[in-house]
Amino acid sequence: MAGDAAARALDSAEQGWRVLRRLAGRHAGFFTTRQVLRTGCEVRVRVALGDGSVTRAGVGLLRLADWPEGPLDEYAMWAAWFDGAAAVSHQSAAELHGLGRLRPRFLHLSVGAGRPPVTPRLVVLRRPLIATDVESAGSFLVTTPVRTVLDLAEADIGQTALDEVVGDAVAIDRCARDEIRSASLRLRPRAAARVYRALTGV
């Protein structure tokens, strides 16, 4: 009986480890201590930290060491923190889409759920994530080009910067003028007028 219980415990731990690795695989190898607890992998992860197959990526964040580093790792790491309930947005999304030259100093995230980390690096906007407003960038979500334009029209960027974002979106065929115009009808009057001015120059 004791042997059966031990075998079941071992099977459960292995199953938890497979689940944890699958979760980490969604976000470029990153996972959280919350996910470790949920999957019951505390012992396995402690061993992996000891042998170097798991590394610490920050407070409450870990990473599978065999995952290759990439230029978008920071986005994937914060997507893992929010269990996928976040999308890169605003200036950061514009940079990813190649729209304008905003050069953001912070990483902008729209977050549907979850506790934000304590870091000066992030600007977190709480709002529901609507499926039609986001798209996959592999290991994280990003707002669509149209949603990004709308977000920036509602934000505090200057009109010249918004003109450039809209001009680039149309020029590189990330979205059509009519698509932007139609979507802007849902905005408040001031933001809609900003989009209209930007479109007149395209």
Side-chain angles (χ1 to χ4, degrees):
M1 291 291 285
D4 290 346
R8 283 195 300 273
L10 184 59
D11 286 347
S12 177
E14 284 303 309
Q15 173 67 16
W17 179 244
R18 285 194 295 273
V19 169
L20 185 63
R21 287 188 64 88
R22 195 161 52 247
L23 290 170
R26 295 177 185 167
H27 304 297
F30 291 100
F31 58 98
T32 67
T33 52
R34 295 188 309 277
Q35 291 169 332
V36 172
L37 294 173
R38 283 203 305 264
T39 55
C41 290
E42 301 94 320
V43 173
R44 182 70 179 263
V45 169
R46 272 198 298 274
V47 171
L49 283 166
D51 67 23
S53 58
V54 166
T55 60
R56 295 191 185 279
V59 177
L61 283 160
L62 305 127
R63 193 180 198 190
L64 301 174
D66 58 1
W67 205 275
E69 291 187 12
L72 304 179
D73 281 352
E74 187 179 17
Y75 302 109
M77 181 179 73
W78 294 123
W81 175 272
F82 288 104
D83 285 326
V88 178
S89 63
H90 294 78
Q91 288 93 327
S92 299
E95 183 178 49
L96 284 172
H97 289 306
L99 309 180
R101 292 172 293 177
L102 300 177
R103 297 185 182 89
R105 292 183 296 128
F106 305 101
L107 198 162
H108 300 79
L109 287 178
S110 290
V111 175
R115 177 179 54 85
V118 179
T119 172
R121 173 72 177 129
L122 295 183
V123 174
V124 175
L125 174 68
R126 291 249 181 225
R127 65 177 178 183
L129 295 181
I130 300 167
T132 54
D133 285 343
V134 298
E135 61 188 33
S136 173
S139 56
F140 58 92
L141 297 175
V142 60
T143 52
T144 63
V146 171
R147 180 71 255 174
T148 301
V149 166
L150 301 183
D151 287 341
L152 293 174
E154 292 177 315
D156 291 331
I157 71 166
Q159 184 66 41
T160 301
L162 181 62
D163 294 349
E164 189 173 64
V165 166
V166 171
D168 285 352
V170 173
I172 65 176
D173 203 25
R174 295 297 283 139
C175 40
R177 288 169 51 94
D178 290 345
E179 188 181 8
I180 297 171
R181 181 179 290 109
S182 175
S184 72
L185 298 177
R186 302 192 304 267
L187 298 176
R188 293 188 177 118
R190 179 181 174 274
R194 278 164 49 82
V195 173
Y196 179 80
R197 284 198 297 273
L199 285 170
T200 59
V202 176

